[in-house]
């Protein structure tokens, strides 16, 4: 069983603050995906990272894949209430998807 | 382009009953996967169907079974419901052209009493 550990589990911040959430595994990822899930909805894909050391930016979100491809981070600059949600990392391996337990982010106005 | 739709949105069952959940995949997608998401947890992979055949399964007992139809829609069946089966059940579709990108429905919230 592939285990994806996410931290922190919960994060409550004020609008305008920066934050970083993490996804780690003892195994090497072939690729890693980040999703955001809002209450009452299914997860929505934000980004896929493939290459060790890769950095991808999506507006105020910056995704980094570790050099050894065993960890990844998501950094949000100047968080807004619309960023509130559950952030999940996921890995696809041998016809199975594995998700982490997520980081629940609450951005207060 | 039609997105992934799931039905019903909410369902209440009692222990020991059987339930069928339905999913219509996004237009052009031939792969459907199902997930169980307990409150406060990430989705847990149940199984995946490709061209009407199961081609991947997570750590779920045989009382969790599924079907995929020629139009690529899918059903998840759970027999002998247990209290711990209470969860949000998510369906996702994908295709070769979408790579490993999953498109999720909004889920079915199942409560087992």
């Amino acid at each position: 069983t592939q285990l994806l550990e996410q931290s922190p589990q919960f994060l409550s911040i004020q609008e305008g603050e920066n934050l970083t959430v993490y996804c780690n595994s003892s195994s090497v990822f072939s690729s890693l995906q980040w999703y955001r899930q809002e209450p009452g909805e299914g997860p929505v894909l934000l980004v896929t990272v493939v290459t060790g050391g890769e950095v991808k930016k999506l507006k105020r979100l910056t995704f980094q894949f570790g050099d050894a491809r065993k960890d990844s981070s998501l950094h949000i600059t100047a968080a807004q209430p619309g960023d509130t949600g559950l952030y999940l990392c996921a890995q696809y391996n041998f016809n199975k998807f594995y998700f982490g337990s997520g980081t629940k982010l609450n951005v207060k106005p | 382009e039609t997105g992934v739709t799931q039905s019903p949105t909410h369902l209440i069952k009692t222990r020991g009953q059987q339930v069928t959940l339905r999913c219509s995949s996004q237009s052009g997608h031939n792969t459907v996967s199902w997930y169980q998401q307990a409150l406060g947890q990430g989705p847990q992979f149940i199984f995946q169907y490709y061209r009407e055949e199961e081609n991947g399964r997570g750590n779920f007992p045989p009382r969790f079974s599924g079907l995929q139809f020629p139009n690529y829609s899918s059903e998840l069946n759970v027999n002998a419901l247990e209290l711990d089966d209470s969860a949000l059940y998510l369906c996702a579709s994908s295709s070769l052209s979408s790579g490993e990108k999953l498109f999720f429905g909004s889920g079915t919230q199942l409560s087992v009493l």
Side-chain angles (χ1 to χ4, degrees):
Chain A
T1 304
Q2 305 273 344
L3 279 178
L4 298 177
E5 296 182 357
Q6 291 191 243
S7 61
Q9 199 173 355
F10 299 98
L11 199 51
S12 183
I13 61 172
Q14 291 293 139
E15 182 176 1
E17 291 183 12
N18 301 332
L19 67 117
T20 302
V21 299
Y22 301 92
C23 176
N24 295 283
S25 172
S26 56
S27 304
V28 174
F29 300 126
S30 55
S31 64
L32 188 83
Q33 299 177 335
W34 284 94
Y35 289 80
R36 181 172 71 206
Q37 184 178 20
E38 297 184 20
E41 299 295 328
V44 175
L45 180 67
L46 297 173
V47 77
T48 301
V49 286
V50 178
T51 306
E54 182 176 6
V55 177
K56 282 191 173 179
K57 291 194 174 183
L58 186 66
K59 296 182 181 178
R60 293 176 294 100
L61 278 59
T62 302
F63 303 86
Q64 187 156 6
F65 203 14
D67 290 339
R69 296 183 10 242
K70 296 172 74 171
D71 59 275
S72 181
S73 64
L74 158 59
H75 181 80
I76 301 179
T77 303
Q80 299 176 2
D83 296 326
T84 292
L86 179 67
Y87 288 82
L88 297 158
C89 62
Q91 180 192 18
Y92 181 71
N93 217 358
F94 300 112
N95 288 350
K96 298 180 185 179
F97 275 92
Y98 300 92
F99 281 82
S101 56
T103 292
K104 192 168 184 179
L105 172 65
N106 180 37
V107 182
K108 295 175 282 188
Chain B
E1 189 176 72
T2 309
V4 178
T5 57
Q6 293 187 241
S7 63
T9 55
H10 295 83
L11 202 49
I12 299 175
K13 291 285 190 178
T14 56
R15 195 171 47 183
Q17 286 189 312
Q18 178 265 342
V19 69
T20 298
L21 310 181
R22 295 179 173 82
C23 172
S24 293
S25 60
Q26 183 159 315
S27 176
H29 287 183
N30 56 15
T31 302
V32 173
S33 49
W34 286 90
Y35 301 81
Q36 180 193 68
Q37 187 175 24
L39 193 62
Q41 299 294 317
Q44 296 295 308
F45 177 77
I46 303 175
F47 42 56
Q48 175 174 279
Y49 278 82
Y50 171 69
R51 292 187 175 180
E52 303 177 57
E53 295 285 334
E54 182 183 297
N55 75 338
R57 189 176 181 94
N59 294 327
F60 281 82
R63 58 189 186 84
F64 285 78
S65 63
L67 282 173
Q68 187 180 30
F69 300 99
N71 67 353
Y72 303 128
S73 66
S74 178
E75 286 183 355
L76 165 65
N77 298 290
V78 186
N79 293 322
L81 283 167
E82 301 177 359
L83 298 179
D84 286 348
D85 295 333
S86 295
L88 178 67
Y89 288 85
L90 293 161
C91 163
S93 72
S94 58
S95 68
L96 275 177
S97 61
S98 75
E100 296 165 3
K101 182 176 181 177
L102 296 176
F103 293 80
F104 281 89
S106 298
T108 294
Q109 185 65 53
L110 173 66
S111 298
V112 182
L113 307 178

